[in-house]
């Protein structure tokens, strides 16, 4: 399977698509105002301790306080880093569960209570394990992990693990023994998939790099104000290159000269042999259009997804869980009802696994397949779903089909789903459905004008939009219009139209003054 990364980078938004044989499989989006802070490290202050929930709120300098559970707290005194390992006899949970070994036991001993570990006003060093989602603030942990290309450093553990995706037993042993021999401290390490076959010198270099980074973070903690950010994760483009290139992708194509230079510089430092895997896209056609990705992204925002046979699935996201319903739709089959149902369910399995991965749906997922009488057919559907999710790098767990024809599964949730990122609650229907968000509409306008710019002959353009979009383009997103005018060399005049739907817009050419 040929895999590549396609990156659409603009000042206001970066989109990274992982393509498998030309089809988009995963999509990562980072906006300049986005709360994509997972992996960031902060010096925070405990706001409130909740003994009844065995949790606490921590101020890390964001609009919402972060949330920390007792099992995510290292029982130490943060005023003295030299005591970092004195009371920690538990292994740290691996930072990258899709690559790590089976998780170790709980990290905080059962006899510890939240009130014994934290006090209101206490300063703590925390790392964001999950960014904010909806009304929920970030989830943080005191068990720090610093990912590199080949290793993940876990300063608060002495555990050495190897990615489960490295299957050769001899190589696993080699890597584990290599790190055990090279490390000069009692810190823990996870060897990532990219470490397979890597020589000792590169492992040693990255161990030193990550150790120096951790020491720098500790020094910042001693002098920084509270709250403040001490360490920021890589940009979405560089994270994709670090985590996906080589093992999950063979090539990177990016449409930004600045982003291209940044990736080349990053690779020159950490992976010089891969510099030739990066290409700069310089065509006039938008890069996601050139790779036919916009249609698949729009389809991933729809509630109903049609199957090739004529059946369809319905995907409903709620606060508690995601419900997926399978229907035969227009498909009537050729022989008998049981065969028709089985074929629809098996086709739906592939689409469900694909949509879950592309939409980045996490948490509890309930799938209502069409009822099948034969137990053997239920097993076929169950096994087909287990096979289909193997491509997914996020942890999944699937239970066999119940007597009601329901299949339950869980998928690790780290960030907001695609729908939550690109959409907002619909005020037309009082939150019962979704509209494309106003910010997304502005960015769609930007891409549409850019797309049509090659055929524009007029001296300037008139853009008619809903008044709320006009206000946004004149205000917070006025940089988009300025960037467009500079790029196409024409003035753009915005007119609000009260009768326009929120998502509706029209662009007209003015041929002469």
């Amino acid at each position: 399977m040929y895999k590549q990364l396609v990156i659409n980078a603009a000042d206001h938004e970066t989109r990274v698509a992982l393509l498998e044989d030309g089809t988009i499989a995963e999509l990562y989006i980072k906006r300049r105002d986005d709360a994509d802070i997972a992996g960031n490290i902060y010096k925070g202050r405990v706001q409130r301790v909740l003994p009844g929930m065995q949790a606490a709120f921590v101020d890390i300098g964001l609009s919402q306080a972060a949330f920390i559970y007792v099992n995510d707290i290292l029982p130490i005194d943060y005023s003295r880093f030299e005591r970092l390992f004195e009371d920690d006899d538990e292994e740290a949970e691996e930072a990258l569960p899709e690559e790590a070994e089976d998780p170790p036991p709980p990290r905080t001993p059962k006899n510890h209570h939240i009130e014994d570990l934290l006090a209101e006003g206490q300063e703590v060093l925390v790392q964001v394990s999950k960014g904010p989602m909806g009304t929920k603030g970030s989830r943080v942990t005191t068990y720090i992990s610093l990912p590199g290309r080949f290793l993940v450093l876990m300063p608060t553990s002495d555990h050495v693990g190897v990615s489960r995706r490295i299957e050769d037993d001899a190589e696993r042993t080699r890597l584990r023994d290599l790190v055990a021999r090279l490390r000069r401290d009692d810190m823990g390490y996870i060897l990532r998939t990219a470490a397979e076959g890597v020589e000792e010198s590169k492992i040693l270099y990255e161990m030193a790099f990550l150790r120096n980074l951790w020491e720098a973070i500790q020094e910042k903690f001693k002098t920084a104000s509270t709250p403040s950010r001490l360490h920021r994760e890589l940009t979405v483009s560089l994270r994709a290159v670090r985590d996906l290139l080589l093992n999950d992708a063979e090539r990177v194509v990016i449409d930004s000269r600045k982003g291209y230079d940044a990736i080349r510089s990053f690779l020159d430092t950490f992976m010089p042999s891969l510099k030739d895997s990066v290409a700069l896209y310089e065509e006039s056609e938008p890069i996601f259009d050139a790779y036919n990705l916009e249609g698949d992204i729009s389809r991933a925002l729809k509630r109903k997804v049609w199957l090739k046979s004529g059946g369809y699935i319905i995907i409903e996201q709620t606060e508690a869980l995601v419900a997926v319903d399978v229907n035969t739709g227009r498909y009537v089959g050729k022989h008998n009802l049981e065969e028709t149902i089985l074929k629809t369910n098996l086709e739906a399995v592939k689409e469900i696994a694909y949509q879950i991965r592309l939409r980045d749906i996490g948490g509890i997922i309930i799938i209502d397949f069409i009822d099948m009488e034969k137990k053997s057919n239920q097993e076929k559907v169950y096994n087909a779903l287990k096979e289909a999710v193997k491509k997914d790098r996020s942890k999944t767990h699937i239970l066999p089909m119940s007597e009601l024809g329901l299949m339950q599964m869980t998928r690790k949730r780290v960030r907001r789903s695609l729908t939550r990122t690109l959409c907002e609650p619909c005020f037309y229907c009082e939150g019962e459905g979704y509209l494309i968000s106003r910010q997304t509409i502005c960015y769609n306008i930007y891409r549409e004008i850019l797309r049509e710019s090659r055929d524009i002959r007029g001296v300037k353009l008139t853009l008619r939009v809903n008044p709320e979009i006009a206000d946004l383009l004149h205000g917070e997103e006025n940089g988009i219009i300025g960037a467009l005018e500079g790029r196409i060399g024409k003035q753009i005049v915005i007119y609000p139209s009260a009768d326009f739907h929120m998502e509706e817009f029209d662009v007209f050419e003015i041929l002469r003054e």
Side-chain angles (χ1 to χ4, degrees):
M1 181 181 293
Y2 180 71
K3 300 182 182 182
Q4 61 179 326
L5 292 171
V6 177
I7 304 176
N8 170 219
D11 291 339
H12 54 273
E13 179 186 63
T14 298
R15 301 185 297 170
V16 180
L18 173 63
L19 273 58
E20 295 179 349
D21 288 337
T23 300
I24 183 171
E26 297 178 15
L27 179 65
Y28 305 90
I29 298 175
K30 177 68 174 72
R31 292 174 172 173
R32 61 187 174 199
D33 61 345
D34 201 1
D36 182 15
I37 60 172
N40 288 0
I41 298 175
Y42 294 85
K43 182 178 182 179
R45 189 184 303 279
V46 179
Q47 280 186 334
R48 187 180 175 194
V49 178
L50 308 171
M53 296 182 65
Q54 285 300 293
F57 287 108
V58 181
D59 178 15
I60 59 174
L62 304 180
S63 57
Q64 291 176 300
F67 196 72
I68 189 168
Y69 287 101
V70 65
N71 280 351
D72 288 320
I73 301 171
L74 184 68
I76 61 169
D77 178 4
Y78 273 94
S79 65
R80 297 184 63 201
F81 274 102
E82 58 269 23
R83 292 182 57 201
L84 191 57
F85 306 102
E86 287 181 4
D87 301 317
D88 181 27
D89 295 325
E90 301 294 323
E91 294 177 339
E93 183 182 62
E94 284 81 355
L96 301 162
E98 69 273 11
E99 292 190 321
E101 298 180 311
D102 293 334
R107 296 171 292 186
T108 302
K110 292 182 180 180
N111 60 340
H112 280 78
H113 300 285
I114 190 78
E115 57 270 31
D116 299 327
L117 302 172
L118 295 179
E120 292 184 10
Q122 179 180 345
E123 294 179 343
V124 289
L125 178 75
V126 294
Q127 183 173 36
V128 177
S129 56
K130 287 185 181 180
M133 297 182 189
T135 59
K136 299 178 181 179
S138 306
R139 180 169 173 177
V140 296
T141 176
T142 62
Y143 288 84
I144 308 299
S145 61
L146 297 173
R149 173 58 182 161
F150 306 115
L151 300 163
V152 177
L153 171 64
M154 299 181 299
T156 58
S157 169
D158 61 358
H159 177 71
V160 176
V162 181
S163 166
R164 285 181 293 183
R165 298 175 73 181
I166 299 177
E167 298 178 352
D168 184 81
D169 289 338
E171 178 64 7
R172 293 176 64 86
T173 301
R174 182 188 78 88
L175 291 171
R176 195 188 300 272
D177 293 344
L178 181 63
V179 170
R181 177 168 52 83
L182 292 178
R183 66 173 178 172
R184 298 293 181 265
D185 47 53
D186 51 1
M187 290 189 282
Y189 293 89
I190 292 293
L191 286 134
R192 306 187 68 181
T193 309
E196 187 171 12
V198 172
E199 61 265 27
E200 177 177 323
S201 59
K202 291 184 178 181
I203 300 294
L204 182 61
Y205 173 83
E206 188 159 283
M207 289 177 71
F209 171 80
L210 293 174
R211 187 169 57 249
N212 291 337
L213 176 60
W214 171 236
E215 291 173 356
I217 292 170
Q218 294 178 81
E219 289 301 318
K220 286 182 182 179
F221 180 87
K222 297 175 183 178
T223 58
S225 59
T226 308
S228 61
R229 187 180 65 208
L230 306 180
H231 170 71
R232 185 173 188 172
E233 248 287 41
L234 296 174
T235 65
V236 65
S237 298
L238 295 182
R239 284 205 308 271
V241 170
R242 180 193 68 193
D243 297 340
L244 300 177
L245 190 59
L246 185 61
N247 292 288
D248 286 280
E250 301 169 43
R251 185 168 178 260
V252 179
V253 185
I254 185 170
D255 62 356
S256 162
R257 167 63 69 175
K258 181 180 178 182
Y260 171 80
D261 291 339
I263 291 175
R264 295 269 298 181
S265 176
F266 177 80
L267 290 175
D268 193 43
T269 302
F270 296 101
M271 295 169 276
S273 62
L274 298 179
K275 286 178 65 176
D276 293 337
S277 301
V278 186
L280 177 63
Y281 180 84
E282 298 182 286
E283 303 298 325
S284 57
E285 183 181 16
I287 189 169
F288 270 37
D289 284 357
Y291 284 86
N292 299 315
L293 304 182
E294 297 290 8
D296 286 334
I297 295 172
S298 297
R299 187 167 172 256
L301 300 177
K302 302 294 184 182
R303 176 175 171 268
K304 178 185 285 189
V305 180
W306 287 97
L307 305 175
K308 291 181 180 179
S309 67
Y312 65 88
I313 60 174
I314 298 290
I315 302 175
E316 295 277 9
Q317 296 192 53
T318 72
E319 288 295 322
L321 53 82
V322 175
V324 182
D325 186 32
V326 182
N327 297 276
T328 54
R330 297 189 293 260
Y331 181 58
V332 295
K334 294 181 179 180
H335 300 290
N336 59 63
L337 178 61
E338 183 76 5
E339 180 186 280
T340 300
I341 291 173
L342 176 61
K343 184 173 181 179
T344 304
N345 283 339
L346 290 175
E347 186 182 7
V349 160
K350 296 179 181 178
E351 189 65 37
I352 290 168
Y354 173 73
Q355 291 294 331
I356 286 174
R357 185 181 174 196
L358 178 57
R359 298 179 188 220
D360 206 6
I361 295 171
I364 300 171
I365 303 168
I366 306 295
I367 306 172
D368 184 9
F369 287 102
I370 307 169
D371 290 341
M372 294 171 289
E373 293 183 0
K374 295 182 179 179
K375 190 72 175 177
S376 59
N377 288 341
Q378 295 180 9
E379 287 292 327
K380 288 179 182 178
V381 173
Y382 170 65
N383 292 328
L385 184 58
K386 288 179 66 176
E387 183 66 27
V389 299
K390 284 184 178 180
K391 296 179 182 178
D392 198 337
R393 295 184 304 117
S394 291
K395 259 190 175 181
T396 58
H397 179 65
I398 305 172
L399 296 178
M401 189 174 292
S402 71
E403 294 181 357
L404 298 177
L406 301 176
M407 199 174 293
Q408 303 173 64
M409 65 176 291
T410 60
R411 183 176 184 269
K412 186 174 178 61
R413 176 168 53 194
V414 177
R415 53 185 173 271
R416 292 180 295 174
S417 68
L418 189 64
T419 303
R420 296 286 190 252
T421 300
L422 296 182
C423 300
E424 62 184 17
C426 174
F427 54 82
Y428 287 110
C429 60
E430 299 181 351
E432 294 297 328
Y434 284 93
L435 286 172
I436 300 296
S437 73
R438 285 165 290 183
Q439 189 180 47
T440 300
I441 294 169
C442 291
Y443 299 162
N444 286 345
I445 291 171
Y446 172 90
R447 286 191 284 270
E448 180 64 23
I449 293 178
L450 205 60
R451 189 177 293 120
E452 301 295 332
S453 62
R454 291 170 292 175
D455 301 320
I456 294 174
R457 299 293 180 263
V459 295
K460 63 180 179 180
L461 300 179
T462 295
L463 173 62
R464 293 192 178 276
V465 294
N466 180 279
E468 294 209 28
I469 301 300
D471 290 343
L472 198 59
L473 289 172
H474 281 304
E476 296 176 14
E477 299 295 345
N478 63 348
I480 291 178
I481 300 300
L484 271 174
E485 290 177 336
R487 191 156 178 181
I488 68 177
K490 301 180 190 302
Q491 182 186 3
I492 300 174
V493 182
I494 302 171
Y495 288 100
S497 295
D499 58 338
F500 270 39
H501 186 278
M502 182 68 69
E503 298 177 6
E504 185 181 359
F505 62 88
D506 278 326
V507 181
F508 301 93
E509 292 183 61
I510 298 178
L511 297 178
R512 61 178 64 89
E513 293 290 344

